[in-house]
Amino acid sequence: MPQGGEFQIIERYFTHEAFGAWRSRGVGDDCAIIDTGAGRLAVTCDMMALGTHFLPDADPEDVGYKALAVNLSDLAAAGAVPRAFFLSIGLPRRDDGWLADFSRGLMRLAEQSGCALLGGDTTRTAEVKGTRAPVTISITAMGELPAGLGLTRAGATPGDDVWVSGTVGDAYAALKYRWGEWDLMPDAVDAVLARMDRPTPRNALGEALLRRASAAADVSDGLLADLGHILERSGVSAEIDWEAVPVSTALRSMTIARQHEAALTGGDDYELVFTASPEKRDAVLEAGVLTGTPVTRIGRVTPRAEGRVVVRTAGGLPVELPKAGFDHFAEK
Amino acid sequence: MPQGGEFQIIERYFTHEAFGAWRSRGVGDDCAIIDTGAGRLAVTCDMMALGTHFLPDADPEDVGYKALAVNLSDLAAAGAVPRAFFLSIGLPRRDDGWLADFSRGLMRLAEQSGCALLGGDTTRTAEVKGTRAPVTISITAMGELPAGLGLTRAGATPGDDVWVSGTVGDAYAALKYRWGEWDLMPDAVDAVLARMDRPTPRNALGEALLRRASAAADVSDGLLADLGHILERSGVSAEIDWEAVPVSTALRSMTIARQHEAALTGGDDYELVFTASPEKRDAVLEAGVLTGTPVTRIGRVTPRAEGRVVVRTAGGLPVELPKAGFDHFAEK
């Protein structure tokens, strides 16, 4: 689920005093964590639009894949096992070719992840003459958690290590490449674009971290923005060692300023950023090995300070940070 | 969840062989009914758009109310107790006045029904210059069912009675009135418009019918269309006595052709149409009394015949039926 300015809309207008038999333990997290009385569920809900989350001419098969992947990634951040999802599509007219391609990408990932499509709805959105009105996709995904468990953004304490899975920044570099603003090494183009179009949700790692990590989020808004959400909810700060931040070879070939911009503030990587006690270092590395997911220790949690995150180079100098995070409703 | 042409889009492109640990017992029903291993859930998902489901200038407070009401109505058709919902809104720009009004209508019904908003997302949809791009709303609502129970559209058998709650046709008459096509008696205008803008989901009745009805659906597409979904899934037919169909005084004052059109084929009433064994007549009437919901016996289930539904007048003559059901993607 979203954070930042978008989330504040939901928070501002739709948060009331708690009522009803089901409460969420995860308000402000990637998932709502709900005790139903009979079990514990993680539920997430993401809406995406062509032209906002996807380039207007995006391959519909990629759109289908990614629409589910970002929801699975939210379940991964909670450590939940994906079980079922519900799909809404708003489109201006029935376009069978688009739907068939979209479905192929979506259902392939659904089957791979054991997350069944158990319901859905389509609706015609108002058409504006002479234009292709936006395609809107909303997915609500549900996962299962063991009683009493579930990763949230709260729980990081000073002294914890900060970790991240995989590499960060490639999805942002791919976007910049598509916009014609950045160049990529010719032999890296396909791999970098795949990171944007077909991100790998880290569900196996998330499940393995359930008893190992103290807090977690997925990297959708950007490494610093999403780590910032953990720090804010946990009431702590953090120091990050820039040289430890894992970036791909393709990104390493760029200027240091672009590396900072992509790896620290670029979104859409769908890696997991998480914290864990230093006693759990071996256990976290083991979780990475068991699930075939690279995990890298990139810093440490510190007591609450004015600046939420400081990123330092090996020389100890702080990295000057570009403006972080992505907000669909921010004024430009 | 939707039926008809809309549903066929989901069915055609998104139905694969079952996989994963959670299966739905209710494919093609108002809700997915899911055994999670630890309990039984009913889940429904509806997407709505201004200009398609709502008039473009609809009062946002009504839009908020009704967006949740139609989902609660799906839970009512399954007999589930509403517990939680997730909300996605796509809008071209942040409009605080619209959101505040929308939220007021939505959250009032949420509190009344004990159905908590546990997550959500907002996204900016592409804006088309000089126009107000459509507002899209998607809600996924979850309810709780006792183990082994849950009403679906399957289960009607020949000899069962056909019942409907409340009155049908007013929402359709209201739409015709707003379009300037039909007149309403001046003292009936407010009441009829309220049936369109603020339909009453029949959750208490639905829960009471869990052990009494054999099949159920909510009246969203129209009485005959939704009864037709029950008959199709149950592999049976039905005869309806026109004179028994409950319509409001306002509708009774119209021509018989308009009464037929509104009550039999008009959608958006959000009453429950259901079947029950004749031995359950007293029990069904009791459910109506206990929940303060009028229930009317309007016909009987017959063995499968070529025509799904026959509607007869007291004289035994069949009523000529207007084309039934509503499909956002049907060619006009």
Side-chain angles (χ1 to χ4, degrees), chain A residues 209-261:
Chain A
L209 291 175
L210 260 185
R211 291 177 170 84
R212 294 170 163 110
S214 53
D218 72 333
V219 181
S220 50
D221 294 344
L223 178 63
L224 295 188
D226 291 304
L227 173 59
H229 298 142
I230 291 178
L231 302 176
E232 194 175 329
R233 287 258 289 137
S234 301
V236 292
S237 289
E239 287 182 352
I240 300 299
D241 308 316
W242 163 250
E243 276 79 8
V245 174
V247 301
S248 68
T249 319
L251 207 61
R252 275 284 178 237
S253 71
M254 297 185 174
T255 65
I256 195 76
R258 285 189 177 178
Q259 287 184 47
H260 288 160
E261 184 178 344

Side-chain angles (χ1 to χ4, degrees), chain A residues 21-47:
Chain A
W22 285 8
R23 307 280 167 85
S24 170
R25 277 156 208 266
V27 173
D29 282 304
D30 290 294
C31 290
I33 293 178
I34 307 167
D35 285 312
T36 65
R40 182 169 264 209
L41 297 177
V43 187
T44 182
C45 170
D46 281 282
M47 183 178 244

Side-chain angles (χ1 to χ4, degrees), chain B residues 29-115:
Chain B
D29 282 305
D30 289 295
C31 290
I33 294 178
I34 306 167
D35 285 312
T36 66
R40 182 169 264 208
L41 298 176
V43 186
T44 182
C45 170
D46 281 282
M47 182 176 246
M48 291 143 277
L50 282 190
T52 304
H53 297 77
F54 298 101
L55 299 175
D57 59 350
D59 177 346
E61 199 170 328
D62 288 340
V63 174
Y65 175 96
K66 191 167 171 180
L68 181 57
V70 304
N71 281 279
L72 294 178
S73 179
D74 282 328
L75 294 178
V81 184
R83 291 298 190 205
F85 72 106
F86 293 78
L87 167 72
S88 294
I89 312 177
L91 61 172
R93 78 191 70 78
R94 185 168 166 163
D95 179 338
D96 285 50
W98 194 93
L99 282 166
D101 291 346
F102 174 85
S103 161
R104 196 176 317 114
L106 180 90
M107 294 309 293
R108 191 171 298 153
L109 181 59
E111 290 190 30
Q112 276 168 21
S113 57
C115 193

Side-chain angles (χ1 to χ4, degrees), chain A residues 2 6 13-14 16 19 38 45-47 52-53 83 88 90 96 103 110-111 117 120-124 138 140 328, chain B residues 2 6 13-14 16 19 21 38 45-47 52-53 88 90 96 103 107 110-111 117 120-124 138 140 328:
Chain A
E6 286 185 75
Y13 291 109
F14 300 99
H16 286 227
F19 58 85
C45 170
D46 281 282
M47 183 178 244
T52 305
H53 297 77
R83 291 298 191 203
S88 294
D96 285 51
S103 160
E111 290 191 29
L117 176 64
D121 196 4
T122 56
T123 197
R124 189 199 287 260
S138 177
T140 304
H328 300 302
Chain B
E6 286 186 76
Y13 292 108
F14 300 100
H16 286 229
F19 58 85
C45 170
D46 281 282
M47 182 176 246
T52 304
H53 297 77
S88 294
D96 285 50
S103 161
M107 294 309 293
E111 290 190 30
L117 176 63
D121 195 3
T122 57
T123 197
R124 187 197 289 258
S138 177
T140 304
H328 299 304

Side-chain angles (χ1 to χ4, degrees), chain B residues 154-309:
Chain B
T157 53
D160 280 359
D161 296 321
V162 178
W163 298 78
V164 71
S165 66
T167 61
V168 284
D170 278 348
Y172 184 84
L175 186 65
K176 287 291 201 179
Y177 174 81
R178 285 225 167 95
W179 283 348
E181 296 180 14
W182 289 10
D183 280 331
L184 288 174
M185 299 184 301
D187 54 352
V189 169
D190 286 350
V192 172
L193 294 183
R195 289 297 310 273
M196 176 179 173
D197 296 333
R198 302 273 179 142
T200 305
R202 298 300 195 181
N203 292 91
L205 178 65
E207 293 164 39
L209 290 176
L210 260 186
R211 290 177 172 82
R212 295 171 164 109
S214 53
D218 72 333
V219 181
S220 50
D221 295 342
L223 178 62
L224 295 189
D226 291 304
L227 174 59
H229 297 143
I230 291 178
L231 303 177
E232 194 175 329
R233 287 259 290 139
S234 302
V236 293
S237 288
E239 288 183 353
I240 300 299
D241 308 316
W242 163 251
E243 276 79 9
V245 173
V247 301
S248 68
T249 318
L251 207 61
R252 277 280 178 238
S253 71
M254 296 187 176
T255 66
I256 196 76
R258 286 189 176 177
Q259 288 185 44
H260 288 161
E261 183 178 344
L264 297 174
T265 71
D268 245 14
D269 288 313
Y270 301 101
E271 296 294 349
L272 295 183
V273 56
F274 57 98
T275 59
S277 145
E279 291 91 72
K280 300 278 190 179
R281 274 182 200 170
D282 287 348
V284 169
L285 291 170
E286 184 192 51
V289 171
L290 288 174
T291 63
T293 317
V295 288
T296 309
R297 191 153 51 84
I298 60 170
R300 69 213 65 81
V301 177
T302 58
R304 187 175 200 148
E306 204 168 321
R308 277 274 176 244
V309 197

Side-chain angles (χ1 to χ4, degrees), chain A residues 5-95:
Chain A
E6 286 185 75
F7 184 75
Q8 283 157 19
I9 291 183
I10 292 285
E11 215 170 34
R12 174 160 177 196
Y13 291 109
F14 300 99
T15 308
H16 286 227
E17 261 186 60
F19 58 85
W22 285 8
R23 307 280 167 85
S24 170
R25 277 156 208 266
V27 173
D29 282 304
D30 290 294
C31 290
I33 293 178
I34 307 167
D35 285 312
T36 65
R40 182 169 264 209
L41 297 177
V43 187
T44 182
C45 170
D46 281 282
M47 183 178 244
M48 292 142 276
L50 282 191
T52 305
H53 297 77
F54 296 101
L55 299 176
D57 59 352
D59 177 345
E61 200 170 330
D62 289 340
V63 173
Y65 175 97
K66 191 167 171 180
L68 180 57
V70 305
N71 282 280
L72 294 179
S73 180
D74 282 328
L75 294 179
V81 183
R83 291 298 191 203
F85 72 105
F86 292 79
L87 166 72
S88 294
I89 311 176
L91 62 172
R93 79 191 70 80
R94 185 169 167 165
D95 179 338

Side-chain angles (χ1 to χ4, degrees), chain A residues 109-199:
Chain A
L109 180 60
E111 290 191 29
Q112 275 169 22
S113 57
C115 193
L117 176 64
L118 295 187
D121 196 4
T122 56
T123 197
R124 189 199 287 260
T125 51
E127 183 152 19
V128 185
K129 272 188 189 123
T131 68
R132 189 188 163 86
V135 172
T136 321
I137 301 150
S138 177
I139 288 182
T140 304
M142 302 164 60
E144 213 170 333
L145 282 167
L149 292 181
L151 296 171
T152 70
R153 291 169 176 181
T157 52
D160 280 358
D161 296 321
V162 178
W163 299 77
V164 71
S165 66
T167 61
V168 285
D170 278 348
Y172 184 84
L175 185 65
K176 287 292 201 179
Y177 173 80
R178 285 226 168 94
W179 282 348
E181 295 181 13
W182 289 10
D183 279 331
L184 286 175
M185 299 184 303
D187 55 349
V189 168
D190 286 351
V192 172
L193 293 183
R195 291 295 311 271
M196 174 178 174
D197 296 333
R198 301 274 179 141

